[in-house]
Amino acid sequence: TLLSSLGLGTTLTFASSHWLLAWMGLEINTLAIIPLMAQHHHPRAVEATTKYFLTQATAAAMILFASTTNAWVTGAWDMNSLSNPIASAMILAALALKIGLAPMHFWMPEVMQGLDLLTGLVLSTWQKLAPLALIIQTAQATDPLLLTVLGLMSTLIGGWGGLNQTQLRKILAYSSIAHMGWMVIVLQYAPQLTLIALLKYIFMTSAAFLTLKASSATKIGTLATIWSKSPILATTTALVLLSLGGLPPLTGFMPKWLILQELAKQSLPLVATVMALAALLSLYFYLRLCYAMTLTISPNTTTSTTPWRVQATQASFPLALATVMTLGLLPIT
């Protein structure tokens, strides 16, 4: 029931051109994921669920308020008739809060840290789709400067915040913030690039989360012991992390390359330079993970429980598919 409601809420938002229906889809989506987040009854999971619920409810209330304001001024509830600047800025702020764009990103690492890996995967991929669809639909009505500032801040903060982390879920949350910044920065010039970046981000994040799930790792220290258990997985994980960082010849290079090219074509060399330098920040902490995984042999394995070779209980096909997509899609450019 919960998973179908999760799908239904997002689909409802996709299909709607009326603000009230879009808001309803977002609400169904939020209410469906909350029991999934709290299903382990762990105090941290419950705390993360509460934080998530509060932020999402605030964002939904802001969307409702802004669309009501817009309807009051213009007399129309259509998404295309977003002519009131205050309403459009408020709606962009609310949707940025929903997907965790900086400076509305503070809930994202905390919430991710409290969840298990599969729910974290749903939170960082599926939950981004509906608000991003609304952002794409309303992007032409919003202030271009606002979108640029949101994108730049998100990439910078997503790079800076992840530098000091040892928890893998928080690192992935910051990487999610940075990727969202890349998507938003190019939205006003080439929305199709936003969609490409979103698709590649979903592939790469799925590969990362499913790999961590297969090795049940949540800290950097655990990563150092993977090589003895499954060397091939360690190799592919390192490549997946480099793909998230955006190194050629892996898939992750494609959206960054196209977005930087588009920004240069729109004669925004300064923005493109800042984005490229912010990508270096993110690359640093992916390289840290790669270093811990593949370039060091852990001196002592006593800090974590000894990973015995047990029969794998989870399906490895999604992991294999996501990994192949993450490593090999660059030639389609």
Side-chain angles (χ1 to χ4, degrees):
T1 310
L2 294 173
L3 284 173
S4 56
S5 306
L6 199 64
L8 174 78
T10 305
T11 320
L12 202 61
T13 309
F14 282 164
S16 64
S17 60
H18 188 288
W19 274 117
L20 207 56
L21 199 60
W23 169 80
M24 207 178 300
L26 290 171
E27 280 295 284
I28 292 173
N29 198 343
T30 306
L31 290 177
I33 199 172
I34 277 175
L36 290 173
M37 290 165 80
Q39 64 185 344
H40 293 298
H41 303 300
H42 191 280
R44 274 194 195 161
V46 175
E47 180 190 348
T49 312
T50 313
K51 286 176 182 169
Y52 184 74
F53 171 73
L54 290 173
T55 51
Q56 300 300 305
T58 310
M62 275 175 73
I63 290 173
L64 203 56
F65 179 54
S67 51
T68 314
T69 310
N70 187 59
W72 189 35
V73 174
T74 61
W77 279 90
D78 288 353
M79 283 187 193
N80 305 330
S81 61
L82 200 61
S83 51
N84 188 7
I86 300 175
S88 64
M90 270 180 59
I91 279 182
L92 184 65
L95 292 168
L97 177 63
K98 268 206 177 288
I99 61 172
L101 283 168
M104 286 79 96
H105 67 283
F106 291 100
W107 59 273
M108 180 93 189
E110 300 292 326
V111 169
M112 287 285 281
Q113 183 51 37
L115 304 180
D116 66 316
L117 290 165
L118 286 181
T119 321
L121 171 63
V122 173
L123 181 68
S124 55
T125 55
W126 183 255
Q127 294 297 93
K128 302 275 190 257
L129 295 178
L132 250 169
L134 294 182
I135 290 181
I136 289 172
Q137 284 179 63
T138 56
Q140 303 311 317
T142 45
D143 186 12
L145 178 68
L146 196 58
L147 283 170
T148 311
V149 166
L150 275 176
L152 278 175
M153 273 193 73
S154 297
T155 38
L156 281 168
I157 284 178
W160 255 316
L163 291 182
N164 205 14
Q165 299 295 334
T166 58
Q167 300 284 345
L168 297 177
R169 286 167 293 190
K170 279 194 178 179
I171 286 182
L172 283 166
Y174 279 111
S175 104
S176 166
I177 295 167
H179 280 281
M180 290 294 141
W182 279 91
M183 286 172 219
V184 167
I185 194 95
V186 79
L187 183 55
Q188 47 201 332
Y189 310 114
Q192 63 272 28
L193 282 188
T194 301
L195 289 174
I196 287 182
L198 176 67
L199 197 64
K200 300 293 165 280
Y201 160 76
I202 286 178
F203 283 146
M204 296 188 292
T205 311
S206 310
F209 268 106
L210 290 169
T211 309
L212 296 180
K213 179 86 177 65
S215 54
S216 61
T218 53
K219 290 196 288 292
I220 292 187
T222 324
L223 282 182
T225 62
I226 290 183
W227 64 272
S228 61
K229 186 169 59 165
S230 45
I232 298 175
L233 188 66
T235 315
T236 53
T237 312
L239 289 172
V240 164
L241 287 167
L242 291 177
S243 182
L244 268 167
L247 288 188
L250 305 165
T251 308
F253 179 55
M254 182 203 310
K256 288 191 165 55
W257 178 24
L258 294 173
I259 286 171
L260 287 177
Q261 185 183 350
E262 180 66 32
L263 289 173
K265 203 161 67 182
Q266 300 285 348
S267 64
L268 295 165
L270 193 63
V271 175
T273 313
V274 175
M275 294 296 282
L277 292 174
L280 283 180
L281 284 171
S282 302
L283 187 61
Y284 173 75
F285 60 79
Y286 296 127
L287 278 174
R288 234 176 89 206
L289 294 182
C290 286
Y291 179 73
M293 281 198 68
T294 51
L295 298 178
T296 56
I297 290 181
S298 177
N300 56 337
T301 50
T302 51
T303 50
S304 59
T305 52
T306 312
W308 292 107
R309 289 176 187 272
V310 288
Q311 194 63 39
T313 50
Q314 55 208 12
S316 54
F317 177 69
L319 169 60
L321 185 69
T323 305
V324 168
M325 294 288 198
T326 307
L327 301 186
L329 280 189
L330 189 65
I332 67 171
T333 43

